[in-house]
Amino acid sequence: MRIHSAEFLLSASTKRQFPAETLPEIAFAGRSNVGKSTLINSLLNRKKLVKTSATPGKTQLINFFKVNNKFYFVDLPGYGYAKVPESVRRKWKYLVEAYLSDRKTLRNVVLIIDSRHNPTKQDRQLLEWLKYFQRPSLIVASKIDKLKRGQVKNNLQKIKNNLSIESAPVGHSSMHYGSREEIWKKLDPWIKT
Ligand SMILES: Nc1nc2c(ncn2[C@@H]2O[C@H](COP(=O)(O)OP(=O)(O)O)[C@@H](O)[C@H]2O)c(=O)[nH]1
Ligand SMILES: [Mg+2]
């Protein structure tokens, strides 16, 4: 995929603030700190388009990015950060579920799992939920540079079994550009208008 342009469009904290449903969208979901923003930057070939952070759980906004004037990338707020108060958690659920259940232009949801760990209960719930709403998804296992070479295949297999999905997730590392094309190849068909 050649990226000609990638720009931040807007942050939404309510459904009313979502942009009009005009272009196909790919959303990115996962626990906070799993590497969502990093993966978006990596796919778009930009170092800092999306802010990444070492302090998880802060953003409860849905961020829209316009790419090549043809499609949107949507950075969903992360879940699973223990220190988030119940009221914030409830708001997250409301906003993200409103987005995932109703959005007509949403084509695929990339669910990111940390390659070092087993998927969490919330990861599995989100996947169940996507299935229920018949949302196509792609599972990406992040931070594979933190694994020993020999561990990668084994961990990807474990994640596959844990989530009961048909094929192993695509491994990704922000340190290497190797998996970028593989991920793009899988996303490409979904953004064709
Ligand atoms: N080593 C390594 N660190 C990563 C990778 N992806 C993300 N990180 C780091 O993990 C932290 C959280 O990343 P971020 O993209 O902000 O996660 P988000 O909360 O899911 O958007 C940051 O410190 C990133 O630099 C990766 O592939 N390898
Ligand atoms: Mg982020």
Side-chain angles (χ1 to χ4, degrees):
M1 169 71 65
R2 283 190 57 183
I3 308 300
H4 311 290
S5 64
E7 63 196 68
F8 170 73
L9 185 69
L10 60 85
S11 292
S13 61
T14 68
K15 206 175 158 180
R16 279 178 43 218
Q17 295 167 346
F18 295 169
E21 294 165 301
T22 53
L23 298 175
E25 284 174 14
I26 306 285
F28 294 79
R31 287 168 50 212
S32 40
N33 219 34
V34 73
K36 289 179 297 301
S37 304
T38 303
L39 176 63
I40 294 176
N41 283 330
S42 158
L43 289 173
L44 298 181
N45 229 340
R46 299 289 194 278
K47 286 219 163 63
K48 287 176 186 161
L49 179 69
V50 193
K51 271 186 228 143
T52 58
S53 102
T55 47
K58 285 242 166 107
T59 43
Q60 295 295 323
L61 301 169
I62 297 186
N63 295 309
F64 292 81
F65 300 86
K66 195 188 238 180
V67 187
N68 290 352
N69 284 316
K70 283 227 165 93
F71 58 93
Y72 291 132
F73 262 15
V74 182
D75 193 8
L76 297 174
Y79 49 82
Y81 187 55
K83 285 180 193 164
V84 167
E86 185 54 36
S87 57
V88 174
R89 212 175 306 241
R90 225 176 298 131
K91 186 156 186 259
W92 178 92
K93 208 167 184 286
Y94 186 80
L95 183 68
V96 173
E97 288 187 357
Y99 173 79
L100 291 175
S101 60
D102 298 345
R103 191 76 176 161
K104 290 188 189 70
T105 42
L106 175 59
R107 300 285 181 83
N108 192 293
V109 179
V110 179
L111 174 58
I112 302 147
I113 311 280
D114 192 318
S115 62
R116 295 168 294 178
H117 310 298
N118 272 327
T120 65
K121 192 175 162 197
Q122 278 164 304
D123 293 328
R124 283 191 299 275
Q125 270 172 359
L126 181 57
L127 198 59
E128 278 304 308
W129 209 82
L130 293 173
K131 265 190 217 154
Y132 180 81
F133 283 98
Q134 298 182 319
R135 291 294 196 192
S137 59
L138 173 69
I139 315 294
V140 171
S142 64
K143 311 192 187 186
I144 55 167
D145 57 285
K146 300 220 178 194
L147 295 173
K148 295 201 185 91
R149 261 174 186 272
Q151 282 182 313
V152 176
K153 213 176 160 191
N154 193 29
N155 280 31
L156 298 187
Q157 195 63 30
K158 263 203 227 159
I159 293 171
K160 170 183 181 267
N161 294 340
N162 189 292
L163 295 176
S164 312
I165 47 178
E166 274 171 28
S167 44
V170 185
H172 175 264
S173 162
S174 59
M175 307 290 170
H176 314 280
Y177 278 126
S179 63
R180 272 191 48 192
E181 286 310 313
E182 192 184 347
I183 297 172
W184 267 124
K185 230 181 254 169
K186 293 183 193 265
L187 293 180
D188 222 24
W190 299 105
I191 49 187
K192 296 250 158 61
T193 34

